[in-house]
Amino acid sequence: MDIQILPILNDNYCYLLHDSVTGQVGVVDPGDADPVLDVLDAQGWRLNVIFNTHHHGDHVAGNQALKDRFGCPVIGPEADRSRIGTLDTGVAGGDTVRFGSETGAVLSIPGHTRHHIAFHFPDSRALFCGDTLFSLGCGRLFEGTAADMWQSMRALMPLPGDTRVYCGHEYTQSNARFAVTVDPDNAALRARVDEIAAQRARGEPTIPTTLDQERHTNPFLRADEPGVQTALGMDGADPVAVFAALRQRKDSF
Ligand code: ZN
Ligand code: FE
């Protein structure tokens, strides 16, 4: 599938999917319908399906207007049916979804919200992970514990390293400012910080990142790494405790 990045609202990304084999069109997390409709109209496309990663308004607020126009179904977390009034097809971790000629896996990744899910399309090497994993960061713990979120980070790690990570927000540069304070001797991180600054100066998104890149540079995936543990004065500590300390520091950074 082709994936188009649509910047919406303040710093959200929603993603327009186009399957070149079947011509199907989908969207992930339309927090605002207008920018999606603009692109669809410009391309002469009809929308076939809406995917939601979690119930927050900046990810679902455009559902109704898009459904009104195209009558397309909304696929999202079944356990949040009461909080996503526009939901049609509820799914949970372990389920699969079809889009165009591809099959996607639904992953349960709680922490930011209790029933947060991700969609992984292995054929396209694409992961849509909403507000759980960000480039160089992770989502705030609104409805889950550090243990939940660390487990969600670990659930994403077995995916292939070249998986492209399409997350819900452009938070990369501020995440980078924090990351260097807790992983100061990480050369890959420092190189990435420079690359990010250049991308943002050119007005480009820093997304997608890759899982491999995140493994090497994102402190929230590195709570079990000596470099991060030493920087926090937590050598040999339980990764959950290190992750919790990272999250706490970031909340007040
Ligand atoms: Zn959110
Ligand atoms: Fe969000």
Side-chain angles (χ1 to χ4, degrees):
M1 67 175 91
D2 296 321
I3 301 166
Q4 201 171 324
I5 302 176
L6 301 186
I8 62 167
L9 305 174
N10 281 336
D11 48 30
N12 279 77
Y13 286 132
C14 91
Y15 299 102
L16 196 63
L17 319 180
H18 178 247
D19 184 89
S20 46
V21 179
T22 62
Q24 275 215 343
V25 179
V27 68
V28 180
D29 284 353
D32 183 5
D34 289 339
V36 180
L37 288 166
D38 287 347
V39 178
L40 291 171
D41 288 339
Q43 303 272 8
W45 288 346
R46 293 187 57 81
L47 190 63
N48 299 109
V49 62
I50 298 168
F51 295 103
N52 289 156
T53 60
H54 66 296
H55 69 87
H56 285 157
D58 59 318
H59 299 255
V60 307
N63 285 359
Q64 189 63 59
L66 295 170
K67 281 179 75 163
D68 289 347
R69 171 83 182 275
F70 299 105
C72 56
V74 173
I75 301 177
E78 170 63 28
D80 271 332
R81 185 171 287 279
S82 64
R83 299 197 286 186
I84 305 176
T86 47
L87 185 71
D88 295 296
T89 306
V91 293
D95 288 344
T96 57
V97 294
R98 285 291 294 177
F99 174 70
S101 52
E102 296 190 37
T103 300
V106 179
L107 307 173
S108 171
I109 48 169
H112 177 67
T113 67
R114 252 184 90 195
H115 306 298
H116 199 302
I117 55 173
F119 299 95
H120 175 230
F121 291 93
D123 291 350
S124 287
R125 304 186 336 278
L127 174 71
F128 300 96
C129 54
D131 290 355
T132 297
L133 176 65
F134 292 123
S135 182
L136 300 185
C138 76
R140 282 177 184 266
L141 303 177
F142 287 125
E143 301 174 11
T145 64
D148 294 332
M149 193 59 129
W150 175 245
Q151 184 54 41
S152 295
M153 298 290 115
R154 286 171 48 101
L156 298 175
M157 284 308 89
L159 302 182
D162 63 355
T163 302
R164 295 171 295 168
V165 178
Y166 293 91
C167 57
H169 291 266
E170 179 61 64
Y171 289 158
T172 313
Q173 199 157 23
S174 62
N175 286 342
R177 282 192 275 273
F178 172 75
V180 293
T181 68
V182 292
D183 202 0
D185 299 325
N186 184 336
L189 173 59
R190 281 204 304 275
R192 175 84 176 117
V193 169
D194 294 341
E195 187 191 350
I196 289 159
Q199 284 175 312
R200 294 311 286 158
R202 293 192 298 265
E204 295 169 4
T206 62
I207 307 303
T209 176
T210 65
L211 265 187
D212 198 42
Q213 180 158 252
E214 293 306 310
R215 278 181 192 132
H216 288 106
T217 55
N218 185 335
F220 293 94
L221 296 177
R222 297 168 57 76
D224 52 356
E225 288 284 332
V228 173
Q229 297 198 344
T230 301
L232 267 60
M234 297 180 76
D235 286 303
D238 180 349
V240 173
V242 178
F243 182 91
L246 283 170
R247 191 56 260 179
Q248 217 161 43
R249 278 196 189 205
K250 177 67 166 64
D251 286 344
S252 54
F253 182 70

